[in-house]
Amino acid sequence: MGAQGKITLKRATLQTIADRLKVSRTTVSNAYSRPDQLNPALRQKILEVAKELGYAGPDAAARSLRRGRSGSLGLIFTETLSYAVTDPVSLLFLRGLAEATETAGVNLLLIPTPMDHEDGAAAVLDAVVDGFIVYSVAEDDARLQAALERRLPTVIVDQPRRKQAALVEIADRAGARAAAEHLLALGHRRFAVIAFPLSEDGYDGPAGPERQAAATFPISRARLEGYADALRAAGLRWEDVPVQEMPLNTRETGEDAAGILLDRTPRPTAILAFSDLLAAGALRAAATRGLRVPEALSITGFDNIAEAAQTRPPLTTVRQPLLEKGITAGRLILEGWPEDDPPEVLLPTELVVRASTGPAPA
Amino acid sequence: MGAQGKITLKRATLQTIADRLKVSRTTVSNAYSRPDQLNPALRQKILEVAKELGYAGPDAAARSLRRGRSGSLGLIFTETLSYAVTDPVSLLFLRGLAEATETAGVNLLLIPTPMDHEDGAAAVLDAVVDGFIVYSVAEDDARLQAALERRLPTVIVDQPRRKQAALVEIADRAGARAAAEHLLALGHRRFAVIAFPLSEDGYDGPAGPERQAAATFPISRARLEGYADALRAAGLRWEDVPVQEMPLNTRETGEDAAGILLDRTPRPTAILAFSDLLAAGALRAAATRGLRVPEALSITGFDNIAEAAQTRPPLTTVRQPLLEKGITAGRLILEGWPEDDPPEVLLPTELVVRASTGPAPA
DNA sequence: CTGAAAGCGCTTACAG
DNA sequence: CTGAAAGCGCTTACAG
């Protein structure tokens, strides 16, 4: 009670309360941060006065500065947040990561991806965090660059490799090769590929050898190499395989891409898709054209999301442990590592054969 | 080049670089934060020395403290993050919110919900943010309390009301009433309800009048009141309507709840579910028991998520603008409001009639 | 159980 | 175009 000024000239701080009570700032700080360090009655008194003065509690930024840590981890996504939140693959990763950080009581700071692929570094520089998790960005991503320059512990997921950062990746190349080998064993010889972006330049369309060689998304390169490994080993010319690069991982883009590929002559008998969503779209394109799967056309996906088992027919795909990828990334950054020796974790992939693949048509 | 000490005794700061170059700290700061304030050549020089010294750029916490803002917004969810990320309703909200904050270049800080419903306030107190968005928590939620005590701009979504905070809500009561009226018009007289938690105490099971009256989730109360309004107006006794309270918004819990309700005698002819996911589960329970929908049993959902149109039969439900809710929450906090006059936005709901409801069986 | 002192690293008027 | 000064609000040894 008493001196509740009508006009608050300045917000209350620890000092305001200390002055009011004729105690030191230390004691007021202790009332909040180390309750066992002072007399309960005094603490009670301090909290009362704080309330009366409209004190909002110790300032979080000041605390972070002084303590040298924030209790938050920054997350940088390839795509915009609003998109990432609709993609089942990113979502499963995010879920795994959240499980790990939440258990540890750590905040997760979602750093925005500017829509226009510009700047974006600013948000990274201003992020009050103790480390970064960078999810599947391009070699030359500006936000990755900015994160690395901050010299905080950083875990990169999927791509790209950086010697200063820890890495969690999956066996992309081996998984892709397994899918292609499976189709080769079924007698297929005419292939086509539906790919993710090869670079962060917004291009979509056919991707010839030059563009493939210049890819700045290592994962896209690895998967193409996996397919190429298998086809070349079977005596086929990889250069002749049409690769359709699509901007987004959605059913719609998959359908569009498959449409383009299926309208070529000669028509491919097998489509290798970079994801289950793209493959599901390809299934629709096949249906539209009256092509039966797998009799007239075989299709493989990648990821093994829940929906892969629900499509008609269910998808042959390459399983990757998405949830585990998130948990592992969280665990690594929470545990830390010896300086100059960031860990690398390689998670396995596995071919899952379902009904979307069958013998090549005669 | 030159003095690259093998052992870094202390991390470099603005001062380190200033000393090295015999310029002031101000000038070094300007090189980063106000490039137009100094000679390009000098700036170049400063950046070079910074790189050489391993300077990580202006410290984010110090910057936040000095500037008095962080560029981040804190998000507090009802449920754990890892769960929120699997719920289509939360996800759509999050997507809308992300669209708004991302466009503004603002970071989103996901504040963890402790699994054990304990504490949680600590993460709120330490969050370096300029405001909070609180998504659908209970009246007595500890994190909401903590957020309010920090006296930062806060937008509450759905519930509960607080005079210090802005509010974005939907017409829950009216929406619920509309669903019940629709069923009454079809001749139904024996109802049952599948509800969300009424309080944050972890209980699930039948919820009688006492428990309903003590509910600490205002939305759950509003929806029950909406149903009750309609039934009472039709001359029915609300007290006789079984309400089954379920802990989670999933298909599985919906199936379990409907199983319990359908095994009662007399069996209800209409089930009012708090969500489309719960209703989809109820559809499964009906199928298991050989009850045809809508001939033997009518079911209504709530939300109108995409899947509501895909169930068999498609769900009659109450549409709420989920994406818009997120966008609105983001817009409000980004725009701010005159002190002492936080805005309240009420978004409409709308009955969507599909095939899961029909005339009451004779 | 309590307090005086040092310092975390920066930005922002302001003066020159 | 550059610099000296003030101050953002706090926590943490340390001494008593």
Side-chain angles (χ1 to χ4, degrees):
Chain A
M1 298 301 218
Q4 289 187 327
K6 292 281 186 337
I7 300 164
T8 310
L9 289 176
K10 224 161 174 285
R11 58 191 275 241
T13 69
L14 284 186
Q15 191 66 63
T16 321
I17 299 166
D19 291 349
R20 195 67 154 10
L21 244 34
K22 311 288 186 218
V23 298
S24 76
R25 216 157 69 221
T26 304
T27 299
V28 182
S29 173
N30 283 339
Y32 285 91
S33 305
R34 308 172 136 192
D36 55 313
Q37 294 293 302
L38 77 176
N39 183 313
L42 177 55
R43 173 159 194 263
Q44 192 53 39
K45 188 72 191 156
I46 288 174
L47 263 22
E48 267 167 30
V49 171
K51 187 156 207 174
E52 187 181 322
L53 258 36
Y55 178 58
D59 181 84
R63 219 172 202 184
S64 285
L65 172 59
R66 180 56 236 242
R67 286 181 172 160
R69 60 181 175 66
S70 68
S72 298
L73 254 18
L75 177 58
I76 297 171
F77 263 114
T78 337
E79 300 292 340
T80 61
L81 245 52
S82 38
Y83 170 75
V85 147
T86 65
D87 179 47
V89 175
S90 323
L91 233 27
L92 227 41
F93 166 77
L94 181 55
R95 181 177 171 191
L97 180 61
E99 278 181 19
T101 57
E102 193 153 47
T103 306
V106 165
N107 296 315
L108 214 46
L109 185 71
L110 304 181
I111 294 169
T113 304
M115 305 284 184
D116 45 13
H117 271 253
E118 255 183 69
D119 199 343
V124 175
L125 297 177
D126 275 348
V128 183
V129 295
D130 304 327
F132 288 102
I133 289 128
V134 181
Y135 181 76
S136 202
V137 305
E139 283 283 4
D140 54 352
D141 189 274
R143 291 159 306 150
L144 168 62
Q145 187 58 30
L148 258 17
E149 275 167 12
R150 288 201 47 194
R151 295 162 189 261
L152 294 172
T154 297
V155 174
I156 294 175
V157 177
D158 281 348
Q159 61 185 359
R161 284 188 114 76
R162 282 293 185 280
K163 56 183 174 316
Q164 317 96 297
L167 182 69
V168 179
E169 61 180 352
I170 60 156
D172 280 290
R173 186 165 179 166
R177 187 171 48 218
E181 283 169 349
H182 165 68
L183 290 166
L184 286 162
L186 289 166
H188 292 273
R189 286 295 174 273
R190 291 203 307 277
F191 291 85
V193 174
I194 307 177
F196 290 158
L198 302 190
S199 293
E200 216 175 33
D201 58 4
Y203 170 85
D204 56 286
E210 329 66 39
R211 186 162 172 87
Q212 292 180 31
T216 58
F217 277 118
I219 284 225
S220 296
R221 213 162 44 212
R223 294 198 186 168
L224 291 178
E225 283 166 358
Y227 295 147
D229 288 347
L231 302 207
R232 288 204 181 105
L236 299 180
R237 282 175 49 88
W238 171 251
E239 300 70 38
D240 296 344
V241 175
V243 173
Q244 187 73 18
E245 183 179 343
M246 301 308 285
L248 240 41
N249 178 32
T250 66
R251 223 169 265 103
E252 289 66 33
T253 55
E255 185 168 3
D256 292 348
I260 293 167
L261 295 169
L262 292 173
D263 289 344
R264 293 172 62 106
T265 311
R267 197 171 61 211
T269 66
I271 291 184
L272 295 153
F274 266 33
S275 78
D276 293 337
L277 243 33
L278 291 172
L283 243 23
R284 292 212 292 226
T288 304
R289 283 163 182 72
L291 290 172
R292 300 198 56 185
V293 175
E295 292 79 357
L297 176 69
S298 285
I299 298 176
T300 61
F302 206 106
D303 296 334
N304 195 34
I305 58 175
E307 199 191 321
Q310 311 295 335
T311 55
R312 307 173 56 150
L315 285 172
T316 292
T317 188
V318 178
R319 176 182 176 278
Q320 64 159 315
L322 291 165
L323 197 66
E324 194 182 341
K325 209 152 81 174
I327 294 174
T328 304
R331 187 174 54 70
L332 286 185
I333 198 140
L334 256 16
E335 285 175 355
W337 52 81
E339 193 164 6
D340 295 335
D341 191 20
E344 296 191 1
V345 178
L346 176 68
L347 266 18
T349 52
E350 177 195 7
L351 183 70
V352 177
V353 178
R354 296 204 185 88
S356 69
T357 49
Chain B
M1 297 303 220
Q4 289 186 325
K6 292 281 187 333
I7 300 164
T8 310
L9 288 176
K10 226 161 172 285
R11 58 191 273 241
T13 70
L14 285 186
Q15 192 66 61
T16 321
I17 299 167
D19 291 349
R20 195 64 154 11
L21 243 34
K22 310 288 186 217
V23 298
S24 78
R25 215 155 73 220
T26 305
T27 299
V28 182
S29 174
N30 282 339
Y32 285 91
S33 305
R34 310 171 133 191
D36 56 315
Q37 295 292 302
L38 77 176
N39 185 312
L42 177 55
R43 173 159 194 263
Q44 191 53 39
K45 188 72 191 157
I46 288 173
L47 264 25
E48 266 168 30
V49 171
K51 185 155 207 173
E52 186 182 321
L53 259 36
Y55 178 57
D59 180 85
R63 220 171 201 183
S64 283
L65 173 59
R66 180 58 235 243
R67 285 181 172 161
R69 62 183 172 65
S70 68
S72 297
L73 253 20
L75 177 57
I76 296 171
F77 263 113
T78 337
E79 301 292 340
T80 61
L81 245 53
S82 38
Y83 170 76
V85 148
T86 65
D87 179 47
V89 175
S90 324
L91 233 26
L92 226 40
F93 166 78
L94 181 56
R95 181 177 170 192
L97 179 62
E99 278 181 19
T101 56
E102 192 153 50
T103 305
V106 165
N107 297 315
L108 214 46
L109 185 70
L110 305 181
I111 294 169
T113 304
M115 305 286 184
D116 46 13
H117 271 252
E118 253 183 71
D119 199 346
V124 174
L125 297 178
D126 274 348
V128 183
V129 296
D130 303 327
F132 288 102
I133 290 127
V134 181
Y135 182 76
S136 202
V137 304
E139 283 283 3
D140 55 353
D141 189 274
R143 291 159 306 152
L144 168 62
Q145 187 58 30
L148 258 17
E149 275 167 11
R150 287 201 46 192
R151 296 164 189 259
L152 295 172
T154 297
V155 175
I156 294 176
V157 177
D158 282 349
Q159 61 186 0
R161 282 188 117 75
R162 283 292 186 281
K163 56 183 174 316
Q164 317 95 297
L167 183 69
V168 179
E169 60 179 354
I170 62 157
D172 280 289
R173 186 165 179 166
R177 187 170 50 218
E181 284 170 349
H182 165 68
L183 290 166
L184 286 162
L186 288 167
H188 292 272
R189 286 294 176 269
R190 292 203 306 276
F191 291 84
V193 174
I194 307 178
F196 289 158
L198 302 189
S199 293
E200 216 174 34
D201 58 5
Y203 170 85
D204 56 284
E210 328 67 40
R211 185 162 172 86
Q212 291 181 33
T216 58
F217 277 118
I219 285 227
S220 296
R221 213 162 45 212
R223 293 197 186 170
L224 291 178
E225 283 166 0
Y227 294 148
D229 290 347
L231 301 208
R232 288 204 181 106
L236 299 179
R237 285 173 50 87
W238 171 250
E239 300 70 38
D240 297 343
V241 175
V243 173
Q244 187 73 18
E245 184 178 343
M246 301 308 284
L248 240 40
N249 178 31
T250 65
R251 223 169 264 103
E252 289 67 32
T253 55
E255 185 170 3
D256 293 347
I260 294 167
L261 295 169
L262 291 174
D263 290 343
R264 292 172 61 103
T265 312
R267 196 170 62 209
T269 66
I271 291 183
L272 295 153
F274 266 33
S275 78
D276 292 337
L277 243 34
L278 291 172
L283 241 24
R284 291 213 291 226
T288 303
R289 284 163 182 71
L291 290 172
R292 299 197 56 186
V293 175
E295 292 79 359
L297 176 69
S298 285
I299 299 176
T300 62
F302 206 107
D303 297 332
N304 196 32
I305 59 175
E307 198 190 323
Q310 310 296 334
T311 55
R312 307 173 58 149
L315 284 172
T316 291
T317 188
V318 178
R319 175 183 176 277
Q320 64 159 315
L322 291 166
L323 197 66
E324 194 182 342
K325 209 152 81 174
I327 293 174
T328 304
R331 188 174 54 70
L332 287 184
I333 199 141
L334 255 15
E335 285 175 355
W337 52 81
E339 194 166 3
D340 294 334
D341 190 21
E344 295 191 1
V345 178
L346 176 69
L347 266 16
T349 52
E350 178 196 7
L351 183 70
V352 177
V353 178
R354 296 204 184 88
S356 69
T357 49

